Amino acid sequence: MSSGVLLICGAEIARYGFGGGHPFGPDRHEAFMRELHARGLDGRVRCGAARAATREELESFHTAEYIDQVRERSAGGHAYLDGGDTPAWRGLFEAASYVVGGTLNAVDAVMEGEVRRAFIPIGGLHHAARDQAAGFCVFNDCGVAIEMLRRRHGLRRIAYVDIDAHHGDGIFYAFEDDPDVLYADLHADGRFLYPGTGAAHETGIGAARGTKLNLPLPPDADDSDFLASWERVEAYLRAGQPQFILFQCGADSVAGDPLTSLRFSVRAHAHAAARLCAIADGLGHGRVVGMGGGGYNRRNLAEAWTGVVQAFLDSE
Ligand code: TV7
Ligand code: ZN
């Protein structure tokens, strides 16, 4: 079996973000890379650049009309893509396409056996719907990755695990009726935080009824709350036996984030990463791709995500 950890990084994905005091600023990539270097981990991972996702790849998840709308609004500048969270700017279409292509590069490298784990810091844009931008997310790289894992790589059962403070509504509702997309999401209770969804009773619909795991937490939940819920995620994954694990490890669930009040320590993120690797190895394939997601306190995102990369390296 292959070894090594692939890191998708570089100017192409660093550009994704919003200026003018927006929490998702374009400085987040650098904050992570500096910490990776300070810990001497940059020399231990293989680095790869992102590529722009093709129109066909974007259309595996998004509608053609929505993709056109993003292109038009980015070219025109100024307008928001949603109700005020996701401003359009010249170049946004391209930057958002690179994020998707970066996650696809990560997934492809794992599927081709070049590495068992890969991480992309600017990725995990889990709020974008098939036909709509939302909450800082233009194109849903996780959603495109799930679709391409099936169409291009022929996988059937794929797990999506999300510990960002916000509910991953863009993924949840896109695959709500699909029993082959395992979904486990720890997040702050929607009564207290955007986007307001992800109640425990939301377990899927139609053929997927009863198959999804939404685990809302009290708005000030700490590591002990995290660990109690995390046990359920592990049991869920072991029973579901996915062929691939996508991990959205948003650092906005760490104490001190300006947008949320969850109080995990960065150890939660490292623990989750280590356990997911162990589960994937136990299933015989070892396939795990981590995506940074949210995280607006730069110190926190740097520590949480380097902890995830360290856990990936330690699992080798
Ligand atoms: C994955 N919280 C994304 C998380 C998306 C959260 C929200 C902001 C925010 C937006 C700004 C801004 C902000 C300081 C914080 C109901 C509203 C309130 C727009 C101002 N500063 C992820 C989305 C969330 C935009 N949205 O999961 C421009 O905070 O609560 C809301 C919605 C309506 C729109 N207004 C905010 O972590 C990557 N937005 C500064 C400038
Ligand atoms: Zn978030």
Side-chain angles (χ1 to χ4, degrees):
M1 189 174 277
S2 62
S3 67
V5 174
L6 174 68
L7 174 71
I8 303 292
C9 59
E12 298 79 11
I13 57 167
R15 264 196 287 279
Y16 185 86
F18 309 92
H22 191 287
F24 202 122
D27 59 315
R28 297 167 74 253
H29 177 272
E30 181 61 17
F32 163 69
M33 294 301 288
R34 286 181 79 93
E35 181 69 12
L36 200 74
H37 180 70
R39 295 197 190 188
L41 298 180
D42 52 345
R44 295 182 55 201
V45 296
R46 304 192 204 175
C47 287
R51 62 178 172 85
T54 64
R55 171 94 193 185
E56 187 191 355
E57 288 165 342
L58 293 174
E59 278 189 21
S60 72
F61 182 81
H62 292 290
T63 64
E65 296 71 29
Y66 172 63
I67 297 167
D68 289 339
Q69 189 192 96
V70 174
R71 211 196 11 224
E72 284 155 22
R73 292 210 192 172
S74 323
H78 292 300
Y80 283 90
L81 293 179
D82 62 356
D85 282 321
T86 318
W89 49 272
R90 219 174 287 280
L92 177 61
F93 178 88
E94 222 193 353
S97 300
Y98 270 101
V99 172
V100 176
T103 298
L104 292 177
N105 278 356
V107 160
D108 289 348
V110 170
M111 285 309 299
E112 279 149 28
E114 293 167 28
V115 291
R116 279 191 297 172
R117 340 279 190 206
F119 182 74
I120 176 165
I122 309 302
L125 303 180
H126 61 175
H127 296 307
R130 292 190 187 272
D131 61 354
Q132 216 164 27
F136 318 162
C137 304
V138 176
F139 294 137
N140 197 321
D141 56 308
C142 338
V144 175
I146 291 170
E147 295 289 2
M148 295 313 296
L149 277 167
R150 297 173 142 175
R151 299 183 197 191
R152 186 172 287 159
H153 297 290
L155 298 191
R156 194 166 76 93
R157 286 177 78 68
I158 297 152
Y160 173 83
V161 178
D162 185 330
I163 63 169
D164 187 288
H166 302 93
H167 178 235
D169 57 350
I171 295 296
F172 183 76
Y173 294 110
F175 298 101
E176 192 182 18
D177 62 353
D178 186 337
D180 288 325
V181 176
L182 306 181
Y183 182 94
D185 192 332
L186 272 66
H187 50 271
D189 188 316
R191 287 173 296 180
F192 308 104
L193 189 70
Y194 178 92
T197 50
H201 64 77
E202 295 191 78
T203 60
I205 59 172
R209 195 173 167 159
T211 68
K212 314 277 179 188
L213 191 59
N214 272 306
L215 296 170
L217 295 163
D220 61 347
D222 63 12
D223 279 354
S224 64
D225 301 301
F226 165 81
L227 283 169
S229 289
W230 183 258
E231 289 298 319
R232 298 185 55 190
V233 175
E234 288 196 24
Y236 173 77
L237 293 175
R238 289 189 203 284
Q241 304 197 345
Q243 296 163 291
F244 200 105
I245 300 178
L246 286 165
F247 176 38
Q248 203 274 22
C249 54
D252 51 8
S253 47
V254 175
D257 189 88
L259 264 53
T260 92
S261 53
L262 287 184
R263 302 190 43 79
F264 301 172
S265 77
V266 294
R267 286 191 302 272
H269 293 65
H271 178 77
R275 299 304 306 161
L276 292 177
C277 290
I279 290 168
D281 288 349
L283 291 169
H285 54 69
R287 300 169 187 143
V288 181
V289 165
M291 303 162 292
Y296 306 100
N297 174 318
R298 276 38 177 177
R299 197 67 240 139
N300 285 353
L301 73 81
E303 289 181 10
W305 296 346
T306 49
V308 167
V309 171
Q310 178 80 63
F312 283 3
L313 285 164
D314 290 348
S315 74
E316 290 289 315

